[in-house]
Amino acid sequence: MHLLFLFLDGIGLGPDDPSSNPFACTHLPNLQALLGGQRLLASSVPYTDGRASLLALDACLGVSGLPQSATGQGALLTGTNIPARLGYHYGPKPNPAVAKFLRDGNLFYHLQQAGLKVGSLNAYPPPYFEAIHSGRRIYSAIPLALASAGVPLKTAADLYSGQALSVDFTGHGWRTRLGIADAPVLDPWQAGQRLAQLAGAYDLSFFEYWPSDFAGHGQDIAQACALLETFDAVLGGLLEGWRDENDLLLITSDHGNLEDLSTRRHTLNPVPALLVGAPELRRTFAQGLKDLTDVTPAILRLLT
């Protein structure tokens, strides 16, 4: 089987409030079809039927303060309650203490040790590697975990050859923000189809989408709604190419943010764990799934 881990940064389960929650006011036909017509809200949990199951995961992990990216992503990728071990939430990028947890064994490392094939589907642009190698930038938690496990980070060459996608799914950002005029561009539906195709080459594939967190900090509801509409179109293409009988799609996050645009800060809301696949696969995976630390053990149980 194949498992695609689609990580959406800064997505929580919020209230049905169209004035501050873009999930409450944006038309998302593909996502809502998965949820039996419901929206991705706190009131929609728990849900299971048809192709999908939706659970809520605690992102606070028993530690006071607002959840943060480095410790939240670290908990997702190690199965360790890093905030509790350290006594605090930390982010956005790992400090040495968080980095040590990620380097000392993570989801990607354990799967490769078990003989399974792991792949990152994100293409990182040339300026990213230049900044890392010069020391002007440090890895965030996810690329640090990948690099520590020996999983190659995809490059511009992989984007051009169709073996990876840009972080915005379509490639438009490489042209408009990075000035790479000949960067290949897909429409959102094609990007979703490409995700499904690429996931078939790995036992576990991982895609990180961080624009959702940036949109949450930006507090622009029109921009947030447009971003979600693009994601929903990507999801439509992905679902069309997805084989439920053999494969599992996991969509989850590290902390809340985008679901409450009344604040620039993260939230205390639980995050969604949206599963798409055969009912038995979903039941097996969802057993005991209650917070961020349960995700890595669930993946290891399923794949090893």
Side-chain angles (χ1 to χ4, degrees):
M1 67 169 294
H2 309 281
L3 194 156
L4 171 58
F5 191 146
L6 182 50
F7 173 76
L8 306 183
D9 198 336
I11 298 289
L13 291 165
D16 188 5
D17 182 355
S19 68
S20 61
N21 185 356
F23 288 99
C25 60
T26 309
H27 181 53
L28 304 172
N30 296 299
L31 181 57
Q32 289 167 225
L34 278 179
L35 299 176
Q38 299 183 99
R39 295 179 177 275
L40 192 68
L41 304 171
S43 58
S44 301
V45 178
Y47 172 86
T48 186
D49 197 10
R51 300 184 72 180
S53 300
L54 178 64
L55 302 85
L57 301 182
D58 170 42
C60 296
L61 301 176
V63 176
S64 62
L66 295 176
Q68 299 297 325
S69 295
T71 43
Q73 292 167 25
L76 274 174
L77 295 177
T78 64
T80 299
N81 190 336
I82 297 175
R85 294 280 294 274
L86 299 179
Y88 56 85
H89 299 284
Y90 189 83
K93 295 185 178 181
N95 62 9
V98 177
K100 187 175 189 306
F101 284 102
L102 290 163
R103 290 193 177 104
D104 285 352
N106 59 62
L107 171 64
F108 310 125
Y109 171 82
H110 292 304
L111 288 173
Q112 292 198 127
Q113 289 295 108
L116 299 177
K117 188 175 183 182
V118 177
S120 167
L121 303 184
N122 286 88
Y124 293 82
Y128 176 85
F129 292 104
E130 292 165 7
I132 291 291
H133 294 152
S134 70
R136 290 183 287 109
R137 181 174 189 158
I138 65 170
Y139 283 133
S140 57
I142 290 168
L144 176 61
L146 289 163
S148 298
V151 178
L153 300 184
K154 298 289 179 66
T155 67
D158 296 296
L159 181 73
Y160 280 79
S161 66
Q163 297 305 303
L165 289 90
S166 63
V167 72
D168 65 352
F169 295 114
T170 65
H172 283 288
W174 282 47
R175 293 190 177 192
T176 59
R177 293 180 178 272
L178 299 178
I180 303 175
D182 65 343
V185 169
L186 303 171
D187 66 39
W189 190 273
Q190 290 172 324
Q193 292 269 291
R194 182 71 55 82
L195 274 177
Q197 172 196 346
L198 294 176
Y202 302 96
D203 298 296
L204 175 84
S205 51
F206 193 99
F207 187 87
E208 176 187 10
Y209 182 72
W210 50 253
S212 45
D213 192 50
F214 273 58
H217 290 303
Q219 292 184 278
D220 184 328
I221 197 161
Q223 180 189 31
C225 290
L227 178 145
L228 289 178
E229 288 170 351
T230 296
F231 169 72
D232 189 71
V234 173
L235 181 62
L238 172 58
L239 293 174
E240 185 180 80
W242 197 249
R243 302 180 307 165
D244 288 10
E245 63 275 11
N246 297 317
D247 302 335
L248 186 70
L249 168 63
L250 165 65
I251 301 175
T252 193
S253 188
D254 51 351
H255 55 73
N257 185 358
L258 184 64
E259 80 286 358
D260 184 1
L261 297 182
S262 70
T263 175
R264 292 188 69 253
R265 306 177 75 193
H266 295 171
T267 73
L268 299 172
N269 291 326
V271 301
L274 179 60
L275 309 175
V276 178
E280 186 56 36
L281 283 177
R282 287 184 274 130
R283 278 193 295 270
T284 300
F285 188 86
Q287 289 175 1
L289 207 61
K290 295 180 180 178
D291 65 44
L292 299 184
T293 65
D294 297 321
V295 172
T296 278
I299 294 173
L300 293 175
R301 282 197 311 270
L302 193 67
L303 295 181
T304 60

